[in-house]
Amino acid sequence: MTSQGNAARDTAEMVARDSYGRLVALLAVRTRDVAAAEDALADAFAAALADWPANGVPAKPEAWLVTVARRRLIDAARRRQTGDAAEGTLRLLAEEVDAAAAGPGIPDRRLALLFACAHPALDPAIRAPLMLQVVLGLDAKRIASAFLMSPAAIGKRLGRAKARIREAGIPFAVPDRAELPGRLDTVLDAVYAAFGDGWGDPAGTDAARRGLSAEALYLARLAAALMPDEPEALGLLALMLHAEARRGARRNGEGDYVPLADQETDLWDAAMIAEAEAVLRRASTRGAIGRYQLEAAVQSTHVERRLTGRANWVAVIQLYDALQALTGSPVVALNRLLAVAEIDGAEAALGEMDTLAGDRRLVDYQPYWAARAELLARAGAHGESRRAYAMAIGLEQDPAVRRFLLRRQAGLPE
């Protein structure tokens, strides 16, 4: 392939990685047919790979792709419709969706489209996954991991949601400012899920995840600025700042994974921690406690180790108790048990962990098996620990974490 052909392919791959979800959203904002927008954009990428190597990459590749995709949608509408119905569809498609996507008072098109995906006519359980796919470009496998579901199940739900948008004529449009508070919780869930997906690649080696956590943090800042009196918007921002502050300590000089308990706290970003603490204090003055504030408070307790050299496990357990009462999440219950083990020992935590064993959401959840393996090792049940490590290793995709787990497993007595 020529250098111009390589440049064309590299540009197409970069746009696909960084902008695919946003471009689909821009195309679907008026047509209300997400699946058709995805098909049209796929055709546009194919056209780019045929055109750009010969004619050069356009100065604005995203605009080129949107233009081609919009023509594909117009052609499809002509094939499907005649008369007034076709004329109405073609008129909508011809309008500049870029201008329509940015709602009044919402400072970023992506944030506006997240609120658009949170339409109350859609099943609440599918709104955040729809945002992750349509606006932020995550695939079904990564979305399923974020919500403890199988890729097949999440794919079916997303398909039904897109069909409902098309068949019921649900307006894929930016809501009025007065509607934003009612849609905020789902938007925050999607932003946090995107951050978690990107945060799982701290070294930035996964092209599909590169920059995702930074984009999610940017959206969290925008949401908090847009709705400064919403305590959960502030809580999410504080939580993400605390997590991001530890990025530099999560891998050592050789690129190996370093668990939280072993991280060098001097490597944590002090300025980002100070910002997180200030935002969390501001949230606490708004008079309502929610999930993200509590999770941020858990992260805040870990900062005590940076100041005193000791973790405050009692406070961590109390916060997880409150979170568990609020969410009923098996992940919260699992994290609480790890804190219990620090105070009451591994055997006590394992006794409580047995109650989680039957939760199907944890069957393919790598941290559950890694935690179980660690507790079993501490309790001296080395055979069971080795088997739990094998499960965790099989489920882990990050090479650095897999190496860490393999070393732990190999270090068990025979």
Side-chain angles (χ1 to χ4, degrees):
M1 183 179 289
T2 65
S3 60
Q4 188 162 310
N6 287 329
R9 181 170 294 278
D10 289 346
T11 301
E13 289 177 352
M14 179 190 69
V15 174
R17 181 181 69 240
D18 296 340
S19 305
Y20 178 82
R22 181 168 59 83
L23 297 182
V24 169
L26 291 175
L27 292 166
V29 72
R30 286 301 186 92
T31 66
R32 303 172 187 176
D33 192 337
V34 177
E38 291 175 326
D39 290 342
L41 190 59
D43 288 346
F45 274 109
L49 292 176
D51 181 87
W52 293 355
N55 299 315
V57 177
K60 297 181 178 179
E62 289 188 4
W64 191 97
L65 289 163
V66 168
T67 299
V68 173
R70 188 180 293 135
R71 288 172 185 160
R72 296 292 194 274
L73 287 170
I74 290 172
D75 290 343
R78 285 197 179 106
R79 289 194 297 270
R80 289 196 310 266
Q81 301 178 17
T82 58
D84 293 341
E87 183 64 27
T89 300
L90 296 175
R91 186 170 57 252
L92 287 175
L93 288 168
E95 292 180 6
E96 283 297 328
V97 296
D98 294 70
I106 300 181
D108 181 270
R109 184 179 291 110
R110 288 163 300 178
L111 186 62
L113 291 169
L114 290 177
F115 278 103
C117 286
H119 196 282
L122 292 171
D123 179 0
I126 201 58
R127 293 173 197 166
L130 185 66
M131 294 174 199
L132 289 173
Q133 185 182 66
V134 171
V135 182
L136 296 172
L138 273 67
D139 59 30
K141 183 176 181 180
R142 291 160 64 194
I143 296 169
S145 176
F147 292 94
L148 301 184
M149 296 176 64
S150 71
I154 203 73
K156 288 180 181 178
R157 290 193 181 188
L158 286 166
R160 287 196 296 268
K162 293 171 188 177
R164 178 161 174 73
I165 290 171
R166 181 180 64 251
E167 295 165 4
I170 295 171
F172 192 67
V174 180
D176 293 335
R177 183 65 181 262
E179 299 176 77
L180 299 185
R183 302 189 182 196
L184 178 63
D185 286 351
T186 309
V187 170
L188 297 181
D189 288 347
V191 170
Y192 187 43
F195 177 80
D197 189 78
W199 195 69
D201 179 42
T205 57
D206 184 344
R209 294 179 172 185
R210 191 176 301 134
L212 186 58
S213 60
E215 180 176 3
L217 182 56
Y218 170 73
L219 291 172
R221 288 188 186 279
L222 287 180
L226 177 67
M227 309 179 77
D229 293 323
E230 291 288 343
E232 279 294 82
L234 297 171
L236 177 61
L237 177 57
L239 169 61
M240 290 167 63
L241 285 168
H242 268 306
E244 189 66 18
R246 299 198 299 269
R247 176 179 291 273
R250 295 176 58 220
R251 297 290 188 270
N252 63 19
E254 289 71 45
D256 291 329
Y257 169 73
V258 182
L260 176 60
D262 297 334
Q263 289 175 12
E264 295 183 36
T265 59
D266 289 346
L267 297 177
W268 294 355
D269 188 318
M272 196 169 284
I273 289 172
E275 182 184 3
E277 293 290 280
V279 172
L280 185 56
R281 285 194 297 271
R282 188 148 43 101
S284 70
T285 67
R286 298 304 192 264
I289 297 296
R291 168 197 170 187
Y292 291 119
Q293 293 168 80
L294 289 170
E295 290 200 28
V298 171
Q299 299 305 316
S300 180
T301 61
H302 291 306
V303 175
E304 289 190 33
R305 183 163 67 86
R306 188 171 187 269
L307 302 174
T308 67
R310 298 187 307 275
N312 188 347
W313 293 114
V314 172
V316 170
I317 291 173
Q318 291 172 341
L319 289 166
Y320 276 134
D321 283 340
L323 260 173
Q324 184 63 17
L326 188 66
T327 67
S329 165
V331 175
V332 170
L334 176 62
N335 289 332
R336 178 188 175 279
L337 288 180
L338 294 176
V340 168
E342 297 297 328
I343 295 177
D344 298 330
E347 291 86 352
L350 283 168
E352 293 189 44
M353 184 175 276
D354 288 340
T355 64
L356 297 177
D359 195 315
R360 295 182 59 82
R361 292 171 292 181
L362 297 179
V363 171
D364 294 324
Y365 186 56
Q366 182 272 348
Y368 167 78
W369 293 104
R372 185 171 182 82
E374 176 66 20
L375 294 178
L376 286 166
R378 290 194 211 174
H382 301 135
E384 290 182 70
S385 175
R386 189 172 290 105
R387 288 190 289 274
Y389 270 126
M391 288 292 297
I393 292 163
L395 292 167
E396 181 54 57
Q397 298 182 11
D398 186 327
V401 177
R402 193 180 300 116
R403 290 195 302 271
F404 171 82
L405 295 171
L406 283 166
R407 285 195 299 269
R408 293 277 183 152
Q409 184 189 49
L412 292 171
E414 292 296 335

